Amino acid sequence: MESFTEKERGILSQFCTNTDRDCFALINLPEAVKGALFSRYSRSSKSLRRVLLDEFILNPEAGFAEIVGEMKNRGESQLVATKKAEEFYDRVLVGYGDDSVAELGGAHLAAENISIVLTKIMQDARIGISPLEKSTRYVYFDQKVDGRYRYLQEERIMQSKYADEYIRACDLLFDTYAQLIPQMAKIEEEKFPREAEVSERAYASTIRAKVCDILRGILPASTLTNAGFFGNGRAFEYLLTKMHASPLSEPRAIAKEAQGELSKVIPSFVKRADSKYGKEMQEYIARTRDMSRDIALCHPSLTQAWEDGYHVSLVESDANAEDKIIAAILFSHLHADLEQVKALVARMPREERERLLNAYIGERKNRRQKPGRAFEAADYTFCVTGNFGMYRDLHRHRMLTQERQLLTTKHGFDMPPELKEAGFDKQVMEAVQNADVLYTRMAESMPHEAQYAVPLGCRMRWYIKMNLRECYHFCELRSMRQGHIDYRRVAQDMHTLLAKTHPSLVSGMKFVDYGTYELERLEAEKKIDKKLEQLKQKK
């Protein structure tokens, strides 16, 4: 353990959470300085705190005192500090690879009043970015601003002959949604009166969530929402590059805004997104997308969507999944080549295979206790036809590959049974069919923009490819009782298909919930009440 003088400890304590232990965190430093510091650290024999002292704090050429001094202030001074930190970063990192270094600094980005269409484009960034989004499951979207519902009046649509029809279609969807909120809330309250042991807070939250779940499919994909993202610089750079290359005007406009704001906090990490090299990358993304599309459109019999009900199919699975996983389990405990291990597995008796799998899965006490990395050796590909609202919930998973088709109204609409029972299905279908007419007129000449008119309850297609370890996580998490009934069904159906295909490998997946629940959020809200009570008792 390196020792520091009393003076050095006094300096370091401003920037490190401790000065006398081997594990510590950095504080009070600009992101660019943190990135530069870790980069130098990777090529130095010194400790991180010594590098910080010798090459940053006590190095007159670094201008460190000026940078950090400005950081302590607010407003314009902090922006000045970021600019100086960027200049410092560029000087320090001559000879270092920008890509990996850009993962050492991060930022929080808020994107407000963006469409649901755009949230999916931004959340396609799986690695290095963690998104959160205003939820249609817990928040009503019936508010008006300046007398208008909050949906995107997309630039190209509003300049087209479809502008007035688009406004009417979106307004009708929102009118229907807003009118049904109080009516469905009353029906659900009468159907499920509050029990004595349930708090008013928990009951109100549960009923609200139930009504949101029933009605969210009426909202159009143009609905404006808010989203937050935390990510590292490299991930943001690639996200911005892809958004700049989008065929839609909204992602391009927000990319420009986001790059401007991120340049105020992590400028060195995102500057390439729209630089000469960034523009070349944008052109590459757009060119390969358009050329691939043109070839795909040479098969007209498969380009037209048709009415199709919900279903999940297992398209691909590893025929030798068990052999792969058993070999992966054994490999880390042996000192043999993988080919030798696979040969051992090929002649291993059934009883020994089962004993090894059972030992590796172990006695799982909850869904968070997942089998180890060996279960990543087998892959499965599912194709799902389900509504867009369902897709939005499942899209957030990171450790897998998902690819969707363009939104359409032509696969049909999932009508919640509660709306049928209440006699509101005809009213809802009138609004949905009106959107379908608009979509049909727009789709041929404006296929990307036509997506904004599609209600969230309309079905779409996407595929999901994931390994068995992720299947455990996906199926058990998304089948939990507080989940939306639509995506719970997907998780349950995937589990059924997996169990039929590889029963020995899926035998440990015992936290998939097949139960049926009327008020899905009630138990979760009761738990929140208990936590709130515990917090009160701590005061």
Side-chain angles (χ1 to χ4, degrees):
M1 174 68 203
E2 183 174 6
S3 60
F4 299 96
T5 66
E6 185 176 346
K7 181 179 179 181
E8 288 174 334
R9 287 197 300 272
I11 295 171
L12 287 171
S13 64
Q14 301 173 65
F15 310 109
C16 303
T17 53
N18 72 71
T19 61
D20 58 356
R21 291 190 292 277
D22 288 330
C23 288
F24 55 94
L26 296 176
I27 55 176
N28 302 326
L29 291 172
E31 293 297 317
V33 171
K34 293 176 190 174
L37 173 60
F38 270 85
S39 300
R40 296 289 281 183
Y41 178 45
S42 70
R43 300 189 184 184
S44 173
S45 60
K46 301 176 183 178
S47 70
L48 183 70
R49 284 177 289 220
R50 179 56 63 189
V51 172
L52 177 59
L53 271 173
D54 294 351
E55 301 187 30
F56 288 66
I57 298 175
L58 303 179
N59 179 4
E61 295 181 4
F64 185 84
E66 190 176 9
I67 292 171
V68 176
E70 298 285 6
M71 277 287 292
K72 293 179 181 178
N73 298 318
R74 299 286 182 186
E76 291 298 322
S77 295
Q78 194 157 356
L79 297 180
V80 171
T82 301
K83 179 64 177 175
K84 291 176 180 175
E86 179 188 16
E87 294 169 355
F88 172 61
Y89 171 96
D90 291 338
R91 291 199 307 272
V92 169
L93 293 182
V94 173
Y96 289 78
D98 288 342
D99 288 346
S100 58
V101 171
E103 295 179 7
L104 300 176
H108 289 83
L109 175 71
E112 299 187 346
N113 300 312
I114 61 174
S115 74
I116 287 176
V117 170
L118 179 53
T119 63
K120 295 301 98 184
I121 292 172
M122 296 182 75
Q123 290 170 15
D124 278 337
R126 299 171 302 168
I127 308 300
I129 290 183
S130 298
L132 284 174
E133 179 186 347
K134 179 180 174 182
S135 177
T136 54
R137 292 200 66 201
Y138 307 113
V139 180
Y140 291 138
F141 282 72
D142 58 332
Q143 302 87 0
K144 288 185 176 182
V145 176
D146 296 329
R148 292 183 174 182
Y149 288 116
R150 300 185 68 254
Y151 59 85
L152 181 70
Q153 297 189 20
E154 198 272 341
E155 178 183 359
R156 190 162 175 240
I157 296 176
M158 300 314 294
Q159 294 172 355
S160 74
K161 61 183 179 181
Y162 306 113
D164 292 342
E165 190 176 352
Y166 175 78
I167 295 294
R168 288 194 297 272
C170 289
D171 279 349
L172 181 57
L173 288 167
F174 269 93
D175 279 339
T176 305
Y177 173 87
Q179 290 165 12
L180 291 179
I181 288 175
Q183 298 182 71
M184 287 308 304
K186 182 180 179 182
I187 289 171
E188 294 303 308
E189 287 170 356
E190 291 174 352
K191 188 189 300 185
F192 305 106
R194 183 171 72 88
E195 297 176 355
E197 71 274 12
V198 178
S199 72
E200 291 184 6
R201 187 213 63 80
Y203 180 72
S205 296
T206 301
I207 293 296
R208 172 184 282 259
K210 183 70 173 179
V211 173
C212 285
D213 280 355
I214 294 168
L215 298 180
R216 71 173 185 172
I218 303 171
L219 292 169
S222 59
T223 300
L224 294 179
T225 186
N226 301 328
F229 304 85
F230 174 75
N232 65 56
R234 187 179 190 179
F236 271 126
E237 180 190 273
Y238 187 49
L239 171 61
L240 293 173
T241 301
K242 291 192 296 181
M243 290 171 66
H244 281 304
S246 174
L248 286 167
S249 63
E250 184 191 14
R252 297 196 301 269
I254 298 301
K256 186 175 181 180
E257 286 188 33
Q259 182 151 5
E261 298 309 311
L262 288 170
S263 293
K264 297 174 183 177
V265 288
I266 50 170
S268 300
F269 299 155
V270 297
K271 62 184 178 182
R272 290 194 311 183
D274 205 31
S275 67
K276 172 189 173 184
Y277 299 105
K279 284 183 167 57
E280 289 177 354
M281 184 63 173
Q282 294 166 29
E283 291 170 3
Y284 170 79
I285 292 171
R287 183 173 64 253
T288 55
R289 177 191 64 228
D290 294 345
M291 291 174 66
S292 301
R293 177 204 60 209
D294 291 345
I295 295 172
L297 293 179
C298 293
H299 303 276
S301 63
L302 298 178
T303 60
Q304 298 300 314
W306 62 89
E307 180 81 20
D308 196 7
Y310 159 84
H311 64 272
V312 178
S313 56
L314 178 57
V315 180
E316 293 177 346
S317 62
D318 284 328
N320 56 344
E322 185 177 288
D323 282 8
K324 286 184 175 181
I325 287 174
I326 291 175
I329 295 171
L330 291 170
F331 182 81
S332 62
H333 299 289
L334 304 175
H335 290 285
D337 184 90
L338 183 57
E339 288 296 330
Q340 293 175 297
V341 178
K342 291 174 72 175
L344 168 64
V345 172
R347 60 179 184 271
M348 185 176 285
R350 182 75 240 165
E351 181 182 349
E352 186 176 355
R353 285 169 170 262
E354 292 178 358
R355 190 154 47 88
L356 181 60
L357 284 171
N358 290 337
Y360 192 74
I361 294 171
E363 293 295 327
R364 302 178 65 218
K365 295 181 179 179
N366 57 63
R367 65 174 178 82
R368 291 181 174 83
Q369 296 179 359
K370 294 183 289 292
R373 189 163 287 180
F375 271 48
E376 296 176 11
D379 292 317
Y380 301 83
T381 302
F382 300 89
C383 187
V384 183
T385 300
N387 64 66
F388 183 38
M390 170 200 305
Y391 169 80
R392 292 175 63 238
D393 293 316
L394 300 178
H395 179 240
R396 293 196 295 269
H397 285 261
R398 322 315 274 160
M399 302 308 293
L400 44 71
T401 298
Q402 296 195 64
E403 193 67 48
R404 63 183 175 275
Q405 297 174 352
L406 292 182
L407 302 182
T408 178
T409 59
K410 299 306 177 183
H411 291 311
F413 179 83
D414 283 339
M415 181 66 69
E418 294 88 350
L419 292 177
K420 290 182 181 179
E421 292 169 8
F424 296 133
D425 51 324
K426 291 183 179 179
Q427 179 183 353
V428 171
M429 281 310 300
E430 181 182 349
V432 171
Q433 288 169 354
N434 193 58
D436 172 57
V437 170
L438 170 62
Y439 171 84
T440 303
R441 283 166 44 78
M442 290 179 63
E444 186 171 350
S445 60
M446 305 173 69
H448 291 279
E449 289 79 6
Q451 295 180 100
Y452 286 106
V454 176
L456 304 190
C458 286
R459 292 188 282 273
M460 57 177 290
R461 296 195 207 279
W462 74 99
Y463 76 77
I464 305 174
K465 181 177 182 179
M466 54 185 163
N467 61 54
L468 184 58
R469 192 182 191 202
E470 179 64 11
C471 287
Y472 267 70
H473 172 64
F474 187 102
C475 294
E476 292 182 337
L477 174 65
R478 292 304 172 186
S479 65
M480 292 175 66
R481 66 173 296 162
Q482 62 263 41
H484 193 289
I485 187 172
D486 288 346
Y487 70 68
R488 290 188 68 230
R489 187 178 174 190
V490 175
Q492 293 161 356
D493 289 349
M494 284 183 173
H495 174 253
T496 299
L497 291 167
L498 288 166
K500 288 179 179 178
T501 306
H502 292 136
S504 62
L505 299 176
V506 182
S507 61
M509 202 184 292
K510 61 182 182 180
F511 296 104
V512 177
D513 190 341
Y514 281 86
T516 301
Y517 309 101
E518 297 286 3
L519 292 177
E520 296 87 352
R521 285 289 309 172
L522 184 56
E523 292 305 313
E525 294 297 336
K526 287 181 180 179
K527 289 180 181 178
I528 292 174
D529 275 349
K530 289 181 180 179
K531 291 178 181 178
L532 291 172
E533 186 60 33
Q534 290 171 356
L535 289 173
K536 286 181 182 178
Q537 293 174 359
K538 288 181 180 180
K539 291 183 179 179

